[in-house]
Amino acid sequence: MKMEQHETEDHWPPSYSILDCLPWEDVLFKKVFPNLAVQTLFSLRRVSKQFHECITYYFQTSKCLNLSRIAARCNGVAFQIMTNDNSNLQELNLRNSKDWLTDELLVPVLQRNSRLLLIDISNCTRLTNESIRILALHCPNLCRITLRECIWLSVVAVTNLVLHCRGLTHVDLSGCWNLNDEAVVTMAMCCQQLEFLSIAKIYGVTDHAIANVASYCRRLKHLNMTGCWRVTNESVILLAEYCRDLKALQIRECRDINEQSLCKLREKNVKVDIPKYPYTIVCPLTRSLQRLNVQI
């Protein structure tokens, strides 16, 4: 009886894990891991040596890394684990990584990933223009870049970027208030495939910049110039004339833009973010009398 039990145990089938049953690259990497939180992936690394090997290989081969939802809970060590051996990244979203992301961490990643198409480093306050310089040199195929609230961004950095990355179609520079007409004009001339452009709250932008955008960026679909109070009807009329694919225009806080120019865009079903007001020509004398509450 004891002999029979011993023989049964010797022939007991070996145990299997999910990693033995499912193809890593075809199933786990494509269907399972992208739906798991980054914290879960790091927890799986601690389950066993096999899981550690699997997750490490997944990080090495990933084409997309999005840390925007956990930026406040991430750190430089975790970022290095996820990126150190990866040269396949095409999308990199590090939005709001302001507490830990530095040039020293980001630059090596940019140097290794020349096929990068999309990057979002909005509100990453510890970065400098050095990261933009490396991005321009090593990622010439870049299509989309988001730099919201990167107040350190300079005109020279933007100029360098657009001279090397001429295929940009989506650019968000909202809140980068160190920029001016020169940066926007250079971008318009170099990146004529632009479809989305946000220059909101760049207070130095004037009609000169928007006129060049209208002239060169004929494929533009969405323009956000909220807070660009120096822009007037003059350049908006040019947008209506040349940007025939325009679908949306954001002009809140642009005090010198009114229905004199917007009516032409509304006729083309362009969505404008302010309500329609009747436009009437009022002479200066009449306006002065109205301010003094004089009956006319």
Side-chain angles (χ1 to χ4, degrees):
M1 185 70 179
K2 291 181 180 180
M3 181 66 69
E4 292 177 359
Q5 183 179 359
H6 180 70
E7 291 177 355
T8 303
E9 290 176 353
D10 286 344
H11 292 84
W12 192 260
S15 60
Y16 291 94
S17 74
I18 188 174
L19 300 181
D20 299 312
C21 302
L22 295 176
W24 290 9
E25 295 185 60
D26 294 334
V27 178
L28 293 179
F29 291 5
K30 292 182 179 180
K31 305 295 183 181
V32 180
F33 290 171
N35 297 310
L36 299 179
V38 174
Q39 301 96 310
T40 303
L41 294 174
F42 271 85
S43 297
L44 286 174
R45 290 176 77 245
R46 298 193 293 267
V47 170
S48 66
K49 290 183 178 180
Q50 191 179 23
F51 264 106
H52 187 282
E53 178 186 353
C54 180
I55 299 300
T56 299
Y57 187 47
Y58 173 67
F59 286 146
Q60 292 174 355
T61 58
S62 292
K63 294 182 179 180
C64 177
L65 179 61
N66 187 344
L67 301 182
S68 59
R69 294 183 179 180
I70 62 163
R73 300 189 298 276
C74 195
N75 56 50
V77 175
F79 180 69
Q80 288 180 316
I81 291 174
M82 290 182 280
T83 60
N84 263 356
D85 298 312
N86 192 335
S87 58
N88 300 290
L89 285 173
Q90 295 181 7
E91 299 182 13
L92 184 60
N93 189 337
L94 304 174
R95 184 170 61 247
N96 295 326
S97 301
K98 57 184 178 180
D99 296 326
W100 55 270
L101 186 63
T102 62
D103 291 336
E104 289 72 20
L105 289 170
L106 182 58
V107 163
V109 177
L110 300 177
Q111 290 174 331
R112 284 193 300 270
N113 290 275
S114 60
R115 289 176 286 182
L116 200 65
L117 300 175
L118 178 155
I119 187 169
D120 186 342
I121 49 176
S122 299
N123 202 26
C124 292
T125 54
R126 297 182 64 184
L127 292 177
T128 72
N129 289 296
E130 175 63 11
S131 288
I132 303 301
R133 186 183 73 84
I134 298 299
L135 179 67
L137 290 176
H138 292 272
C139 306
N141 298 318
L142 197 68
C143 294
R144 299 168 61 95
I145 185 167
T146 305
L147 298 165
R148 298 176 67 91
E149 306 301 330
C150 292
I151 59 175
W152 43 264
L153 189 66
S154 70
V155 173
V156 173
V158 171
T159 300
N160 190 35
L161 176 69
V162 300
L163 286 174
H164 288 84
C165 303
R166 293 175 175 263
L168 286 168
T169 59
H170 180 113
V171 177
D172 191 341
L173 303 174
S174 304
C176 299
W177 44 263
N178 278 324
L179 302 182
N180 55 23
D181 276 356
E182 180 184 348
V184 178
V185 170
T186 305
M187 180 182 301
M189 294 175 65
C190 294
C191 305
Q192 299 185 21
Q193 308 301 315
L194 272 178
E195 296 181 1
F196 176 98
L197 176 62
S198 179
I199 49 176
K201 299 181 181 179
I202 301 180
Y203 304 114
V205 169
T206 71
D207 280 333
H208 175 61
I210 304 305
N212 277 271
V213 169
S215 178
Y216 290 106
C217 303
R218 304 292 181 93
R219 298 185 180 183
L220 196 65
K221 296 180 180 179
H222 189 132
L223 176 61
N224 182 358
M225 48 186 187
T226 300
C228 297
W229 57 271
R230 297 174 186 269
V231 179
T232 70
N233 285 324
E234 183 178 345
S235 56
V236 176
I237 291 173
L238 294 177
L239 288 171
E241 181 176 352
Y242 294 115
C243 299
R244 298 182 179 180
D245 293 332
L246 194 65
K247 303 297 181 185
L249 179 66
Q250 294 175 254
I251 53 162
R252 282 179 293 107
E253 302 174 30
C254 296
R255 62 192 185 190
D256 292 327
I257 298 177
N258 53 43
E259 290 303 316
Q260 182 182 16
S261 60
L262 295 178
C263 62
K264 297 181 179 181
L265 291 172
R266 296 189 197 277
E267 290 173 359
K268 298 179 180 181
N269 295 318
V270 175
K271 293 183 179 179
V272 182
D273 66 338
I274 62 172
K276 182 177 181 180
Y277 291 113
Y279 173 73
T280 55
I281 300 177
V282 181
C283 71
L285 176 60
T286 303
R287 186 180 294 110
S288 299
L289 292 174
Q290 289 175 341
R291 288 175 181 170
L292 294 172
N293 293 321
V294 176
Q295 198 74 21
I296 56 176

